[in-house]
Amino acid sequence: MLKLFICLSLILFPLISVVGQKEPPGPWKRITDLNDVYYVDIAKFAVNEHNKQADDNLRFIRILEGKEQMDTGQRDYFKIGVNNREDLAEIYETSVFNKEYKNVLTLEYFRRIQ
């Protein structure tokens, strides 16, 4: 009986530990068309969401750099140019997550880098 228990344990424990594991995110891929409406809309969403959360008044200029990653949805990272309240140009980086099959955008972070 003890041998049976040990054999089952050796078979089942590795299987149980694998079942609950999430796959790691995919590699980051450079976005080649930074003017694609899909990406521009996501970058504008990030600016608007930041403005709501921080009671700010930044205005989107353009995407300077971008990359995307597949996870349990799509994560987009951008460096974007914006105008601040004084109409001065600033650069921010942001990450937006689009949950798979839900089509719901979530602002992960938005921070000034220059």
Side-chain angles (χ1 to χ4, degrees):
M1 184 71 160
L2 183 59
K3 286 183 180 179
L4 178 63
F5 176 73
I6 292 172
C7 288
L8 285 174
S9 297
L10 292 173
I11 293 170
L12 293 177
F13 283 143
L15 291 176
I16 292 170
S17 67
V18 170
V19 169
Q21 289 182 351
K22 178 184 166 223
E23 291 233 2
W28 285 99
K29 294 182 182 174
R30 192 172 140 270
I31 297 171
T32 54
D33 184 2
L34 299 175
N35 296 315
D36 184 309
V37 173
Y38 173 79
Y39 298 113
V40 171
D41 286 347
I42 292 173
K44 286 180 178 179
F45 163 82
V47 173
N48 292 334
E49 195 65 21
H50 163 78
N51 285 341
K52 281 189 241 173
Q53 293 176 8
D55 193 28
D56 210 344
N57 190 27
L58 301 178
R59 290 178 315 283
F60 176 81
I61 300 172
R62 68 184 181 99
I63 301 172
L64 305 171
E65 179 183 317
K67 54 188 176 179
E68 61 188 352
Q69 176 187 53
M70 296 308 292
D71 195 346
T72 55
Q74 181 170 321
R75 178 171 287 111
D76 295 297
Y77 165 86
F78 302 111
K79 283 187 184 175
I80 56 176
V82 299
N83 282 335
N84 64 17
R85 291 177 191 260
E86 291 80 34
D87 212 27
L88 299 173
E90 296 178 335
I91 298 175
Y92 283 77
E93 65 179 355
T94 186
S95 178
V96 176
F97 187 71
N98 189 356
K99 183 76 171 159
E100 190 173 32
Y101 306 116
K102 301 236 181 186
N103 230 9
V104 176
L105 298 176
T106 305
L107 181 64
E108 294 186 311
Y109 64 85
F110 192 93
R111 57 183 166 240
R112 186 172 178 227
I113 56 174
Q114 187 181 35

